Amino acid sequence: MKEKLLGKTLDELRVVAQELSLPAFTAKQIANWLYVKRVRDIDSMTNLSKAARAALAERYEIGLTPYAGSVTSVDGTRKYLFPAGPEDKYIETVMIPSCEDCGEISRATICVSSQVGCKMNCQFCMTGRGGFHGQLDTAQIISQFIMIDESEILTNAVFMGMGEPMDNWDNVSRALEILTADWGFAWSPKRITVSTVGVIPTLKQFLDKSRCHLAVSLHNPFPDQRAAMMPVQKAYPLEDVVALLKQYDFTGQRRVSFEYIMFAGVTDTKAHIDALIRLLRGLECRINLIRFHAIPGATLQPSSPQAIEQFKARLNAAGITTTLRASRGEDVMAACGLLAGKGLKKGE
């Protein structure tokens, strides 16, 4: 099986050039073809000699993964299905267009998957309920950016699709390097947000090495209640996650936000508001409230609109910037917590 060129960093492409006895500058040419011009085959790299292209093609392929199907929501959100592995497994990628009602102008956000399934087993998430089936390699992550139909108009990216990004840090970190390097996509880190449930060892690496925004899946400030909903709490307690974050500066361009799903009678009480205020005191951050999208078999229920508005108002009054995330793509199972990689018929 040939090795993939896609997903390699510039340093790794330099190794490729060296191994094939190609000039050192060839590495930057290959990176340009992969990440700027986004070619589909090696023979299209026309500023490489025929001999160089032949040498590359003998051992390497581009490594792009085409999508297998897509479906579009009534609100314009589009969900793509990508094959991921030999066992008939799939991942889902979501493109979220501008929301005029939210005041957004000319935004096209890609919600990227980082794993086939997820190990975290959060009780309110379809992905977690489906179990873990493997890591995406860097090429599979970058393919999501290149292969969707809206590739050329993307303005932002959120690593909030299937999987826990910090549990596949080697591949996610390489993808972030490719996305933000001047030899790669040349995106500003401000255009990218990476989510986590709080896997502390790799979260620290992210904080030290990346300038991208961070979103922490909080959902409940009480340790015992959070552990019942999110098993990761037992390994990496939320209070330790917040203590780590307080060691970093979020007053500049990099932001940290906390995702908080509103469950009726479970996470939307005044006690939860007070606990959030105590937990986050002294940390420059914001809270994004999320309406719960019910999943099959779930006993949890969404909070009422009135409860959500009251919750938001109280947190804002306490000095914690709090917003309600617009729900997008729910009718095609593309909204938060609904990605399951179940499959779509091609062309849907």
Side-chain angles (χ1 to χ4, degrees):
M1 182 180 294
K2 292 183 179 181
E3 193 175 340
K4 299 174 182 177
L5 288 173
L6 192 74
K8 289 188 180 297
T9 65
L10 184 59
D11 285 343
E12 291 167 334
L13 291 173
R14 289 189 176 113
V15 173
V16 170
Q18 185 177 28
E19 289 177 346
L20 296 178
S21 299
L22 301 175
F25 61 79
T26 306
K28 199 159 188 178
Q29 290 177 315
I30 297 172
N32 185 265
W33 286 112
L34 291 173
Y35 306 124
V36 180
K37 296 175 181 173
R38 304 180 187 184
V39 294
R40 305 300 170 93
D41 58 82
I42 290 172
D43 201 47
S44 297
M45 299 180 179
T46 52
N47 62 350
L48 274 63
S49 69
K50 286 186 178 181
R53 282 177 273 164
L56 274 174
E58 188 174 346
R59 291 177 51 181
Y60 296 93
E61 61 181 357
I62 297 296
L64 286 162
T65 303
Y67 66 82
S70 68
V71 62
T72 304
S73 165
V74 294
D75 65 23
T77 299
R78 191 171 184 188
K79 182 171 74 171
Y80 289 88
L81 189 77
F82 284 89
E87 300 178 358
D88 198 29
K89 299 298 182 184
Y90 294 89
I91 59 161
E92 293 174 338
T93 306
V94 181
M95 193 290 298
I96 308 165
S98 297
C99 173
E100 293 182 5
D101 292 341
C102 310
E104 295 177 349
I105 302 173
S106 300
R107 287 172 67 97
T109 301
I110 182 172
C111 181
V112 186
S113 290
S114 55
Q115 294 181 310
V116 190
C118 187
K119 300 177 188 176
M120 299 301 125
N121 196 28
C122 298
Q123 294 304 296
F124 45 82
C125 176
M126 287 281 286
T127 306
R129 287 194 168 199
F132 176 72
H133 304 286
Q135 304 285 21
L136 293 183
D137 62 32
T138 312
Q140 290 171 308
I141 295 172
I142 295 297
S143 277
Q144 296 172 69
F145 286 82
I146 294 175
M147 297 306 290
I148 67 170
D149 293 348
E150 299 83 5
S151 175
E152 296 298 329
I153 65 167
L154 292 175
T155 61
N156 298 83
V158 292
F159 281 71
M160 296 181 181
M162 297 174 66
E164 163 56 49
M166 302 295 170
D167 191 44
N168 187 16
W169 177 240
D170 285 348
N171 290 304
V172 169
S173 63
R174 287 148 59 95
L176 294 177
E177 180 180 354
I178 290 165
L179 291 168
T180 57
D182 57 3
W183 49 261
F185 281 52
W187 278 25
S188 165
K190 294 186 294 182
R191 296 169 64 180
I192 302 169
T193 300
V194 181
S195 73
T196 183
V197 294
V199 182
I200 289 176
T202 45
L203 171 57
K204 188 175 190 312
Q205 293 181 50
F206 168 82
L207 292 168
D208 288 338
K209 297 178 180 179
S210 175
R211 302 306 300 170
C212 295
H213 298 315
L214 175 69
V216 178
S217 296
L218 195 161
H219 306 311
N220 200 312
F222 293 112
D224 55 341
Q225 295 179 16
R226 189 172 190 259
M229 301 165 64
M230 303 173 66
V232 73
Q233 172 69 20
K234 299 170 186 176
Y236 303 114
L238 178 63
E239 50 271 37
D240 291 349
V241 174
V242 174
L244 173 64
L245 294 176
K246 287 182 178 179
Q247 298 174 27
Y248 292 83
D249 179 16
F250 294 100
T251 60
Q253 293 187 333
R254 181 167 62 170
R255 296 195 308 266
V256 60
S257 59
F258 292 91
E259 311 297 292
Y260 195 92
I261 299 178
M262 299 294 292
F263 300 109
V266 177
T267 64
D268 63 355
T269 71
K270 184 178 184 299
H272 290 90
I273 296 172
D274 293 340
L276 284 170
I277 294 169
R278 288 194 300 270
L279 177 69
L280 301 179
R281 184 175 290 119
L283 179 62
E284 184 71 26
C285 64
R286 68 172 55 227
I287 295 177
N288 290 321
L289 303 181
I290 303 171
R291 296 184 181 90
F292 176 51
H293 305 109
I295 62 177
T299 57
L300 297 163
Q301 297 297 318
S303 300
S304 68
Q306 295 83 0
I308 294 174
E309 286 301 318
Q310 187 176 52
F311 200 92
K312 182 176 74 169
R314 286 179 172 175
L315 284 170
N316 277 311
I320 301 177
T321 300
T322 304
T323 58
L324 175 62
R325 179 186 293 171
S327 180
R328 308 291 298 277
E330 186 173 6
D331 59 314
V332 295
M333 300 292 283
C336 182
L338 298 183
L339 301 184
K342 292 296 185 181
L344 300 169
K345 293 181 180 179
K346 191 171 182 179
E348 279 190 322

